[in-house]
Amino acid sequence: MSEQSFCYKYPHPSVTADCVIFGFDGVSIKVLLIQRGIEPFKGKWAFPGGFMKISETAEECAKRELEEETGLKNASVEQFYTFSDVNRDPRERVITVAHYALVRLSEVKGGDDASSACWFSMAEVPSLAFDHDRILRMAVNRLKERICFEPIGFELLPEEFDYDPELTERQTPILTARRVSSDGKVCIEGYSNGAIKVFSIQERNSIRTLIMEEDSFITK
């Protein structure tokens, strides 16, 4: 059967995917930005992202652009909003599907359309290109909503932690299953991909405190 091509009389907007990546270094939370190497907004800071190929999903596009522009691989990004203001991009009608993730801080390097990539503290985020200031504000709000109720940010978590006997399932709805190993360590399992996931109680509480404190997330 021969391939068919379809043409429509209706104009089609372009679609991009952008990534808001929060990084935890054990003390503070930072956000990953790239310096644009091309117009529009050449030299301005923005989130990693780019145009979606016809053969990929929005999530595949987000992960590809993130790796190409920063070198960061295998981040578990999640969609949180679609930005569709008519004039958000000066080039053409562009809709972006925004993703976010919470990861352990790691080395990054600019590539592809990005002349540089760097982690910024939340208090030092510069004015961003396009509507990325708005995207950042919404990503911060979504992270605050999610951190208390759902398991996110597994990339930044250690392999094992000491069991706290005061911890209960009622106090930690983030847990779905629990078992104690022979050496007194605890593992958590039962998440959507079936993999065992474990985390430090102290570290998780530290992350939660940082995210929920307004002074830790100063945005424009």
Side-chain angles (χ1 to χ4, degrees):
M1 181 180 296
S2 61
E3 292 186 1
Q4 296 180 334
S5 80
F6 298 90
C7 297
Y8 300 91
K9 63 181 180 180
Y10 307 105
H12 294 167
S14 295
V15 180
T16 60
D18 287 305
C19 297
V20 184
I21 308 298
F22 298 105
F24 183 62
D25 61 4
V27 177
S28 62
I29 295 176
K30 302 181 185 298
V31 66
L32 178 59
L33 300 176
I34 59 100
Q35 189 171 35
R36 290 183 56 79
I38 60 173
E39 296 291 355
F41 301 110
K42 183 177 181 180
K44 292 274 287 185
W45 292 93
F47 292 120
F51 287 93
M52 186 171 68
K53 296 180 179 179
I54 196 67
S55 60
E56 63 186 359
T57 65
E59 182 177 330
E60 289 169 343
C61 174
K63 290 183 176 181
R64 173 181 56 79
E65 289 287 346
L66 181 61
E67 181 176 350
E68 289 177 355
E69 294 190 340
T70 72
L72 193 61
K73 300 180 180 180
N74 303 318
S76 297
V77 298
E78 179 180 345
Q79 293 185 26
F80 71 91
Y81 198 76
T82 299
F83 294 84
S84 60
D85 288 355
V86 174
N87 297 315
R88 59 175 305 276
D89 192 311
R91 292 169 294 190
E92 57 180 317
R93 181 76 168 92
V94 178
I95 295 172
T96 194
V97 183
H99 298 69
Y100 76 124
L102 179 60
V103 304
R104 187 174 296 280
L105 213 68
S106 61
E107 184 178 353
V108 292
K109 183 179 180 180
D112 194 32
D113 294 339
S115 59
S116 180
C118 185
W119 295 100
F120 284 81
S121 69
M122 298 303 300
E124 296 177 344
V125 173
S127 178
L128 303 178
F130 302 102
D131 57 350
H132 290 195
D133 289 318
R134 182 186 176 211
I135 293 177
L136 176 59
R137 288 194 299 271
M138 190 167 290
V140 168
N141 289 334
R142 182 58 58 88
L143 189 62
K144 288 182 176 182
E145 292 171 0
R146 294 287 303 280
I147 193 66
C148 290
F149 303 106
E150 299 184 40
I152 61 173
F154 288 134
E155 293 86 350
L156 59 83
L157 305 173
E159 291 301 318
E160 293 183 325
F161 67 91
D162 293 325
Y163 175 53
D164 181 348
E166 299 299 319
L167 199 65
T168 68
E169 294 292 341
R170 179 182 60 80
Q171 293 169 321
T172 55
I174 195 173
L175 309 186
T176 58
R178 185 168 69 200
R179 74 170 185 268
V180 182
S181 61
S182 59
D183 62 354
K185 301 293 186 179
V186 178
C187 291
I188 307 305
E189 63 180 347
Y191 294 101
S192 58
N193 62 0
I196 294 175
K197 298 295 185 183
V198 296
F199 61 93
S200 161
I201 296 169
Q202 181 179 3
E203 193 166 37
R204 190 197 69 192
N205 289 341
S206 175
I207 295 166
R208 178 181 293 178
T209 299
L210 284 166
I211 290 173
M212 296 309 293
E213 287 180 350
E214 289 293 334
D215 290 345
S216 299
F217 277 83
I218 300 173
T219 58
K220 294 178 174 54

